[in-house]
Amino acid sequence: AAPGGPGGEAKEVSLVSVQSDALGSAVTGTGTLAADEETALSFRVPRRIPRISGDLGTIVRKGDEVARLDTSDYDLRVRQAEAALQQARARLGLDPSGRDDTVDPANTGTVRQAKAVLDEAAANRERGQRLFQSGVIARAELDGYESAYRVADARYQDAVEEVRNRQAVLQQRRSELEMARQQLADTVLRAPFEGAISQRIAGTGQFVAAGADIARVVRLNPLRLRTEIPEREAGALRPGLAVRVRAEGAPDEAPGRVARVSPVVDERTRVVVVEVEVDNGRGALKPGGFARAEIVTDAGTTALTVPASSVVAFAGMEKVFLVKEGKAVERLVTTGRRQGDRVEILTGLEAGESIVADPGD
């Protein structure tokens, strides 16, 4: 075929047929891509920052270190709490470096000593009762045995309570050690999810208070697209529908799905708000970017399509080239949706017609 006017140089071209493909019925909406999750990171404890690992744009995985505090004070608190715990265990007769805090009060030295005194006082009282009944001792001496027994019993109860108090102190020291260790662990700021740092707020060497923002982390996959669909087109919308998303600057479409559909129609604008979850596994999309979404409401619907390379846009018009008697002939067309490297033809062509595959070559 020889496109061009008379006298133009002949040129070989490839022809393609207009096809009927399953594009599906779709409704279209536009909106701004947003991160599905974004959070400000802060330390739970105060101190100076000797090191910040992340900066603007740094990709992080869940658990990655973003920043770290000076740990000298918190190391001392852990050692102090460990010493206090060992002391509390020793007072109960336990191995200072052991882990088992189980204690039987009856087996502790304090209680055993008080129990021996009580047993002796009980035996003396019983002997005195027999001697009193035999008339060997006076009532006053028996009363002395009774008093000694009651005092020994009270001291025994005090010994048991003392052991229980020491057990409570042991548990308190154990909790204090866990708190000291937690504070030490809190000196490392870690990413709560996989994403990227969108803002660094604090600097190296800065003293920060507990709760002060250090950096912001944004989740990059999936993204969320919030769009508005006219009421007349929203009847077929439901969660789970497939969505084709094309963003400004992105080379390819991104797949998505309808995540949420508003149950009400805005009385002022007569639109329904739809939220789309967009797959950004390739990282080509960025939060804040403008995007266009095609929500497929009926996947079985067919449409005429041609390769996108066969359509030429000029002066606001779109056209393709057919070959008639060895010459290229223009024909104006109206295009619709795009899917991959093919574009929908709304008007201007019929199924089976042949057009130039790439008139720009």
Side-chain angles (χ1 to χ4, degrees):
E9 183 180 352
K11 176 182 178 181
E12 288 189 1
V13 294
S14 298
L15 302 179
V16 293
S17 297
V18 180
Q19 299 178 1
S20 180
D21 293 330
L23 280 185
S25 298
V27 294
T28 302
T30 58
T32 301
L33 292 168
D36 189 59
E37 192 171 2
E38 183 175 5
T39 186
L41 304 184
S42 59
F43 287 104
R44 298 172 61 183
V45 292
R47 199 60 180 161
R48 185 180 61 83
I49 303 178
R51 185 175 73 194
I52 296 182
S53 305
D55 209 332
L56 177 65
T58 301
I59 301 298
V60 294
R61 297 188 179 276
K62 183 177 180 179
D64 283 356
E65 179 181 319
V66 176
R68 180 182 292 267
L69 295 177
D70 178 19
T71 63
S72 55
D73 284 355
Y74 299 103
D75 288 329
L76 291 174
R77 292 178 187 179
V78 170
R79 291 198 291 270
Q80 185 180 34
E82 288 175 341
L85 176 62
Q86 291 174 358
Q87 183 182 33
R89 288 181 58 83
R91 294 196 66 191
L92 285 168
L94 298 173
D95 179 6
S97 60
R99 293 289 303 173
D100 187 5
D101 294 340
T102 303
V103 175
D104 182 2
N107 292 328
T108 60
T110 302
V111 174
R112 287 201 306 268
Q113 182 180 5
K115 184 66 167 58
V117 174
L118 177 62
D119 291 342
E120 182 182 5
N124 291 337
R125 183 182 66 166
E126 184 179 353
R127 187 181 308 110
Q129 289 174 343
R130 290 198 302 269
L131 293 174
F132 175 74
Q133 292 171 359
S134 301
V136 176
I137 63 173
R139 180 71 187 185
E141 191 172 350
L142 176 61
D143 290 344
Y145 288 133
E146 289 286 350
S147 297
Y149 173 78
R150 287 195 293 270
V151 171
D153 182 62
R155 289 176 177 173
Y156 172 75
Q157 297 300 328
D158 285 344
V160 173
E161 291 300 324
E162 174 64 20
V163 170
R164 290 175 178 168
N165 181 62
R166 292 179 183 180
Q167 287 179 299
V169 171
L170 174 60
Q171 295 304 316
Q172 180 181 354
R173 298 292 180 262
R174 179 73 68 186
S175 298
E176 290 172 352
L177 176 58
E178 294 302 322
M179 291 176 60
R181 286 174 174 170
Q182 182 60 55
Q183 289 181 334
L184 179 60
D186 289 339
T187 60
V188 180
L189 191 62
R190 300 188 181 278
F193 49 76
E194 183 175 351
I197 296 178
S198 60
Q199 183 182 9
R200 172 177 166 177
I201 302 171
T204 301
Q206 180 178 343
F207 185 93
V208 294
D213 290 350
I214 306 301
R216 297 190 69 85
V217 175
V218 59
R219 190 190 296 275
L220 298 178
N221 184 39
L223 296 180
R224 181 182 301 183
L225 176 65
R226 185 181 176 94
T227 185
E228 297 177 345
I229 302 300
E231 177 185 6
R232 63 181 179 275
E233 299 179 352
L237 298 180
R238 65 183 184 276
L241 288 177
V243 183
R244 295 189 288 264
V245 179
R246 180 172 289 276
E248 292 290 336
D252 302 310
E253 288 182 347
R257 67 175 186 87
V258 175
R260 286 164 289 275
V261 179
S262 173
V264 299
V265 176
D266 189 297
E267 295 181 359
R268 182 175 57 85
T269 59
R270 313 311 303 178
V271 297
V272 174
V273 176
V274 178
E275 287 190 352
V276 177
E277 186 178 274
V278 185
D279 183 4
N280 191 30
R282 298 181 179 179
L285 307 179
K286 296 184 181 299
F290 180 78
R292 180 173 181 268
E294 292 182 357
I295 304 174
V296 181
T297 56
D298 183 2
T301 304
T302 60
L304 298 180
T305 67
V306 297
S309 60
S310 66
V311 180
V312 177
F314 179 77
M317 296 184 296
E318 294 176 307
K319 57 188 177 181
V320 297
F321 288 89
L322 292 81
V323 176
K324 301 291 185 180
E325 299 179 355
K327 294 182 180 181
V329 179
E330 294 182 1
R331 184 179 295 180
L332 297 179
V333 295
T334 304
T335 61
R337 294 165 290 163
R338 291 177 178 266
Q339 182 173 355
D341 60 351
R342 300 190 70 81
V343 61
E344 179 185 14
I345 299 297
L346 301 177
T347 62
L349 291 174
E350 296 182 1
E353 287 189 293
S354 295
I355 60 175
V356 177
D358 194 345
D361 285 350

